[in-house]
Amino acid sequence: MRGLRHHRREMLDTKQSDAAPPQDEPRGCLFALSQPPLMIFLAVIGCLLLMAALHDLLLL
């Protein structure tokens, strides 16, 4: 039982790690939209929707 107490004390140690992001930099929706992979995905989806709309309007 003595070893378990030692581990329990280690588990209760809640120091803030160095990997945590800084709290003074808020990130929201505009930060997410500024990511290149998301913008490429949205551009491809937009082009597909545009081509489908033009196909419906002009060719059907």
Side-chain angles (χ1 to χ4, degrees):
M1 287 297 200
R2 197 164 143 184
L4 292 175
R5 289 184 191 151
H6 177 69
H7 291 294
R8 190 177 301 159
R9 210 175 314 138
E10 285 179 1
M11 289 172 56
L12 292 176
D13 188 16
T14 57
K15 290 186 220 171
Q16 196 170 18
S17 66
D18 294 334
Q23 296 298 328
D24 57 349
E25 186 177 325
R27 292 184 177 181
C29 184
L30 292 178
F31 175 77
L33 284 176
S34 68
Q35 302 303 309
L38 179 62
M39 292 305 293
I40 292 170
F41 172 75
L42 292 176
V44 168
I45 296 299
C47 287
L48 289 173
L49 288 172
L50 180 64
M51 290 190 320
L54 290 176
H55 177 267
D56 285 347
L57 288 173
L58 300 177
L59 299 176
L60 291 180

